Structures are given as structure tokens and as C-alpha cells.
Amino acid sequence: MENNPAADQGQLEQDQWVQELLDLSEKEQVTPKQLSILRAAIDVFAEKGFSAAATSEIAQKAGVAEGTIFRYYRTKKELLLAIVVPTMSRMIAPFVLRNFSGVLDVPFESYEAFLKAFMLNRLEFVRRNLKIVKILIQEIPFQPALKEQLTENIFEQVLERVTTITEHFKAQGEVIDAPTPAIIRFTISAIVGYLLVRLLLMPEQDWDDEAEIEQTVSFILHGIGGNG
Amino acid sequence: MENNPAADQGQLEQDQWVQELLDLSEKEQVTPKQLSILRAAIDVFAEKGFSAAATSEIAQKAGVAEGTIFRYYRTKKELLLAIVVPTMSRMIAPFVLRNFSGVLDVPFESYEAFLKAFMLNRLEFVRRNLKIVKILIQEIPFQPALKEQLTENIFEQVLERVTTITEHFKAQGEVIDAPTPAIIRFTISAIVGYLLVRLLLMPEQDWDDEAEIEQTVSFILHGIGGNG
Amino acid sequence: MENNPAADQGQLEQDQWVQELLDLSEKEQVTPKQLSILRAAIDVFAEKGFSAAATSEIAQKAGVAEGTIFRYYRTKKELLLAIVVPTMSRMIAPFVLRNFSGVLDVPFESYEAFLKAFMLNRLEFVRRNLKIVKILIQEIPFQPALKEQLTENIFEQVLERVTTITEHFKAQGEVIDAPTPAIIRFTISAIVGYLLVRLLLMPEQDWDDEAEIEQTVSFILHGIGGNG
Amino acid sequence: MENNPAADQGQLEQDQWVQELLDLSEKEQVTPKQLSILRAAIDVFAEKGFSAAATSEIAQKAGVAEGTIFRYYRTKKELLLAIVVPTMSRMIAPFVLRNFSGVLDVPFESYEAFLKAFMLNRLEFVRRNLKIVKILIQEIPFQPALKEQLTENIFEQVLERVTTITEHFKAQGEVIDAPTPAIIRFTISAIVGYLLVRLLLMPEQDWDDEAEIEQTVSFILHGIGGNG
DNA sequence: GATGAATGAGTCTTCATTCAT
DNA sequence: GATGAATGAAGACTCATTCAT
């Protein structure tokens, strides 16, 4: 039951992120114990799913007593939300906050450049938050709190912002004059499709991300139809 | 807790399907009791998720005793698999079996016609098996049995078949000369993206499926890039 | 963990009563297991108090699995109420129902005869339900459900009935013309005082109940003042 | 969670008393923190019952850290006893100590005057220590330490003293020649009955204590029997 | 075949108590 | 002295599974 933060090198990057996440969300120091609870919870939730995850296992993996978890998070569900809500915010942050990640705000020369930058940016984000994203996707259908977030943020703020961007490029003639919702859906499908295959379905395959992204953006813009 | 199959007209179609499914998978008669267990299980699994679903609730909804479930399915997990495995098979059936649904075998005049027919066909399939598909997606990460199926069937059989098809159209000049896996991924992303938005994210919206499918196929073939 | 209903002879009388109680309240057969749960619960609640009583101890004493308790009573509190509410009803039954125990309905020749009969009757009742009465007294302050019962039944029905009786005897000149509430309070105090001392404070002492009751009734009627 | 002693004027009287109590029992200075722990504990014990009371809630209400309670009282039970034992002593003090409250020592002209003075005195006492008395009554059955006190003090000292007093008045012809224990029981029943109804069962009713006490004493002396 | 009572391991959660700071 | 983070045993309650009827 030792707690050796030095050992698990594979998680270093994610730890960094968890720290970031907490700094961001709370602006107050997070105890090492709380951190190891979060890390353990992320692992167990991702591996077993929220319902099937036992707080006893989380405690054990975190190297703390079971009661300690409940000092920080009153219920198991609150622990879930503490992990997942900030990530949800960060996931859509580029669409919501100006000058946040810079991806959407730097005036891109072209739609193509914009799409490439965006894909690369989100790929990096999901890669660094893979487990949390898995948990998030799994639990959205069962957690009203998350559904609400989704509705309020994605369907109201994000869609509006993305619509603006899309119509901007439409006006410039870089995007064809088709219904904006269909364009958005199609574009996001291609991007998300790549992320899923890349990170979840076939993560172990060798990937040349730059080339794949370029290819995908090319498909988005020109399709896969032949000369006919 | 009566079980009146006549009442729930909305499920008639699905019931029909469940019957089909069972006929197919077992080739032996399915008792009405077993059928109502399956139907109840589909409802509860879809609503609560597998882990959070209680067999007692399933029994209650099915109008049978708790013990009865375990006459037919030795464990809760077996009940899950009995629901989900045949649907998985049917989901990929068009790619695997010849002359099954006919979608892939009728020699289409064009890739475009093929894609449209395929989308419509799968849309109909998912629509009629929505809950089961939900369950399937939810549980794949946690059920090794399903993961295995996925690997063996999708990644070996389906991919091979789809590769063949794609390369056929490539040879005919209807599809550009890009890496086949990327083409496949891109195409399926667009299709699945549509299905998800259409049936899961915004099912209540009014949809003109024919137009949307046409639009999507057009995007797949020619992209969304402007004249530049 | 054997369950030998024949052995505990001391409880025979009470068992009889528990059976009675349940017959009365449910009019349906009570399983032996349920009965032993009730008996064990009565013992443990009386000994430790409701809050400090562990369902595990009740289960152990009843010779059943802990889960079994919760098949019959959804919560620990429900188990408490199942024990205590019917007794509460029976405790005040003589005041509420006509011809129930007969104590209040037979036209007594005198107030004295009435008081004696009533004391004897209630003494017997409390003696046979001692533990439950203990539990009842203990838990009334903390169980809103019981408080409500108390208010609705005691303060509305019982007081009204007792007032009628008292005023009947007042009219007959057997009771002095003092404020009825004071008379009632005083009378009940004397009776309850005897019951408490007799059964709770000094139960092991040798008691000549008839003589004591006669004495108490005499005090109630003529006081303890000397000839002065 | 501030603790502003100035605000709760309603408790001023009781606070005063708590101070008294502690001065009495310990003869050493009591810190403000200890005082607020005691006050909070009285509130919580009275409201929830000892077993159901959480030390964390007491700490919170007292405005101290959870650990602080255990600096002063090693266990929760010790805290209970610290509250309840001194009150128990004071409750029976008039019977035990000479010249303490003076109630029993001033040579009363009559048994009647004595009873009235005694009732008024105890009414005042219980009124000012209502919560503690509640706690005391609740916990006597479950705390051997309290039971022991009860046996040793009440049943040995108090009864002896009360017997002496009663027999004194018996000798003077003010009390009839009936068994002393019955007389005592009856008298105390009437007094305690009044206190309970007055302070616990119907505290919100308007009471004319002097008149009620006079009435009650009259009943004790002359009973409620009519001229018959 | 069908039942549903019974099980008991396992769940999340609480809480009195300790102890390093 | 005072804190409050940490503990871990114990609590009420759930639930998949069994089996006698």
C-alpha cells in the first residue's frame, strides 16, 4: 500500500495535468493525498466504469484509508464530478474563452490551417487526458449534471461560436454554401473520428500524426471523390 | 406489474426484432417469459447502465420472479451478452455475410449510390435497435468478450471486406488514390457521426433523412472546401 | 446461531403477544423468520436503544442473515415502527374503540371500581409489552412519525374520551368540581407513576398488586391528607 | 460558525447555569471553549439523542475543532457524563444536602406549604435545565454509570430522607397512616406528572403555575373524590 | 418450469478517536 | 493549547445468485 509518486513514470505527464487541473479549478493548494486519490480514482473509474468502481479499491490504490476519500469528496459521485467537470470545461475551453488556448483566436490565413491547428491541439489535449475523456464519455448518459453541462455549454455556447467561425469562412469563400449545421457535424465527425481511432481503438499502431491530420483535413475540404 | 404486450405499441417494432434476433441466434423457440426478460433487460441496461442495473428491477419489469432470470441466463453478464452479441453480429452482418441484407452485394452503379444506400440501411438498423446499440457502446470497454468480438470481427473481417470494396471503387476512379485506411476511417466517421447526432444527441429534432444523407455523402465525396 | 423457539420460555408470553400483534396488524400469516426478527429487534432495541442497535446484532440474535431483515423491513426505522406503532395503538385502544377491551364500556358502579379495573388492565398490558413500551417511550422524542401518532391519537381522541368519562362521573358527584384537565392529569399521573415504579424502577420487589392498586385508587379519591 | 455568546439571549439563563454547574462540579476555571462545547453538546444530545449525536456536529456548533472536544473529554461518553452527572446531583440536592436550597430545611408550618414550595422549586429547576433533564431521562437506561448514581443516591439517600420527612408529617397527623412508600410514590407521581405535562408535553400552553400547583397539592391532600 | 425467500459478500458512507503540527 | 487531517472499524443497506418447494 505504499505511495511512491516517483515510481509511476508513465503517469508523470498526466499528473502534471491533474495538478494543472486542480490549480485551475480551485486556485488553492491540493494536498498530495488528495492528488493520489484523484489519480487512483481516474484509473479505477476508467478501468471499471463508475458504477463498478469500488471506493475501497480507489482508497487502496491511492494508499489512503477509505474514510479519507470522503473527507475530500462527500460522495463517490462528487469525486466523479470533481474529475470530470473541469476536464469538460477544458475540453470546450477553446470554443468558449477568448485567448485561452489561442487556437481559435489567432487569425488563421486559411480554413485549412485553422483545421490542422485545431486537430493537433485537441489531439494533444485528449492524449493527455485520455482516461478522463473515457470516463466522461462513459458517464455522460447517466449523470444528469454532466448532461446539463453538455447541453448548456456545448449546445449553446460552443455551437454558436463554431457557427460564427464557420460562417466567417463561408463568407470568405473557403467553405461551400451548404447548411452550416451539416458542415459542422461533418467536420467534427472527421476530427473526432480520427481522435477515437488514433487514441482509443488502435492506440498501439504507429501513427504519423502530422501526415494523418493533413490527410484528414484534405478529405474534409476536398472529399474523397475521384476525378469523375 | 402486469405484462401486457399489447399496450406498448412503441416497442412493437423492436419486439419484432427481438424475436427475430432470438430466432436467429438460437433457432429454438423462445418462451414469452424469456422474451419479456430480454425486453426488460434492454430497457434497464440502457437506462441505468449494466453495472447499475439490478436484476430485481429487470425481473419486476418483466413480470417474472427474480429467480426466473437465472433459469435462462446463469449470470447477469450472460444476460447482457445474450442481448448484445447477436446485435453486434447483425450490425456488421452486411460486411460479413453475403446476400444477407444485400446492401453491399448488389452491384451499385456508383460509390455515391452505394454510400447512400448503406447509410440509409444502417440508420434504419440503429433506429430499430437504439437501446441495444447504446448498451453495446457502453459495455464494449468493460467486457472482454465483446472486445474480442470487436477485434475478431470488425478488425479482421469487416476491415478486410471494406478494404476490398474501397479498393474496387478506387480502381474505378470513383475514389481518390489515398491510403485506404484513412479513406475508410474518414467515410465511416462521417456516417457514424450522422447516426450519433441524428439518433442520440438530437433525436427530437425534425430530420429530413434523405436530404441529410445526400448532403453527407456529397461532403464525403467532394468535401466542404470552397472554389479556391 | 440456532433458532430454537421452544427454548426461551421466559418469552413465551410475549411471543404470544407478538403473534397477536401481527395477526391484528396484518391479518396475514407471519413467517417464523419474520417473527424471530421482530423478537430479536425488540430485545436489542430495548437493550441498546434504537440508534445504538446494530442490524447485524439483530440478525445474529434472530438467527437470520442480515439481508433477510431488509426483505421484510426496508429500513431499520421501518422495523422500529413495525414494532412500536401497533403497540401504540393497542396502548390507547381502550380509549378509542368501543367494546374493545371492555374496560371503559362496561357501566361501572362507581368511579372507584372503574379506576381499579383500568389500572389492573393497563398494568397487565404494560407487563406483557414491557420492552416495547420501553422502546416506545425512548423513541417518541426522536421519531416524528410517532410524535404525530401521539398528537393525533392521544391528544385528540384519548383526551376527548377521557374528558367525557371524567365529566360523567363529575355529574354523578363522584368526582369533585375541579378543572377536568387537572383531574385527568392527576389521575393519570398516579396510575402511570405506579406502573413505572412497579415495572421499571423496582420490578424485582415483591408486589401485592391488588393491594397497591386499591391503595393508589384510594389516594386518588381521598388524597393523603390527615384528618386536619 | 461563529460563536457569539451575546446573541442568544434565550439561553442566557441556562448559560449562567452551566457556568454554575461547572464551577460547582470542578471548582476550577472553565475555559470559554469548554463552555461552548458543553452548550453545543447539550443542544445536540437533546435534539438527536446521545447515540445519534455526532461529535463533529457538536464541534461545529461549538465553533471548535473536532479534536478540541477530546482534549477536555476523553470520550463522547465522558462528555455526556460531564453534562449529566452534576445535574443529577443538583436535581436531588434538596434531599441530600442540608441548607443547600433551603427547601426542605426551613421548618414549614404545614405539609401543604412544604409541598407547594417544593413543587415550585423543582419546577424552576427543571425549567432552567430542561435539555439536560431530557438527556438525563433518555440516557439513564443505557448508561450504567447513571443507573448506579440513581440507585446509590435516589434509592438510598433520597428515599431515606423523604421517608423521614413523610413520617414527620405523619406523626403530626398531617398525613394519613398509610404505607410510607405508597405515599411517597403517589406524591412524587403527582408532582412529576405536573412537571412533565407542564414542561415537556404541553409547554406552549399558557400556564398559571401557582394555581396549578395549588390545585395539584389540593388533590394530593384531599383527592378528587366527591362528597359521596 | 417457475418461484421467491434467503443468503452473505460487498457497497458506500459515517464517526469517534488519534496525533503530528 | 488547539487544530484538523487521517484513520479504520462499524454501520445500514443492496444485490446477484441459490435452492427448496
Side-chain angles (χ1 to χ4, degrees), chain B residues 33 64-65 67-68 71-72:
Chain B
K33 225 155 259 232
V64 303
T68 306
R71 293 222 133 260
Y72 292 106

Side-chain angles (χ1 to χ4, degrees), chain D residues 33-177:
Chain D
K33 226 155 260 231
Q34 194 172 357
L35 198 60
S36 61
I37 288 171
L38 285 169
R39 261 191 275 148
I42 290 169
D43 283 353
V44 179
F45 285 160
E47 189 195 345
K48 307 255 173 98
F50 173 71
S51 278
T55 51
S56 60
E57 189 184 346
I58 294 170
Q60 193 201 5
K61 272 206 177 164
V64 304
E66 291 194 41
T68 306
I69 291 175
F70 295 91
R71 293 222 134 259
Y72 290 105
Y73 308 98
R74 267 172 312 182
T75 65
K76 188 181 156 191
K77 186 175 291 183
E78 200 173 90
L79 172 57
L80 171 71
L81 296 180
I83 288 168
V84 127
V85 167
T87 298
M88 204 163 171
S89 299
R90 288 175 58 99
M91 209 150 126
I92 59 164
F95 306 95
V96 178
L97 304 171
R98 295 194 164 270
N99 297 321
F100 176 72
S101 76
V103 186
L104 297 183
D105 297 303
V106 179
F108 286 96
E109 310 153 23
S110 64
Y111 191 47
E112 190 175 350
F114 160 72
L115 282 180
K116 280 183 196 168
F118 180 68
M119 275 188 76
L120 204 57
N121 175 278
R122 290 297 87 185
L123 173 63
E124 196 56 20
F125 175 83
V126 176
R127 208 173 56 70
R128 290 180 60 175
N129 298 282
L130 194 51
K131 285 178 184 171
I132 303 182
V133 171
K134 273 184 189 172
I135 298 168
L136 182 55
I137 294 172
Q138 285 294 327
E139 288 307 316
I140 279 180
F142 306 125
Q143 306 296 341
L146 295 183
K147 256 183 175 154
E148 204 180 314
Q149 276 259 337
L150 192 74
T151 310
E152 285 177 16
N153 291 324
I154 307 282
F155 285 168
E156 295 181 11
Q157 301 185 49
V158 175
L159 258 189
E160 189 197 308
R161 187 106 163 78
V162 171
T163 299
T164 308
I165 293 168
T166 305
E167 283 176 349
H168 164 77
F169 284 114
K170 237 193 215 174
Q172 293 195 337
E174 291 205 56
V175 171
I176 61 171
D177 188 25

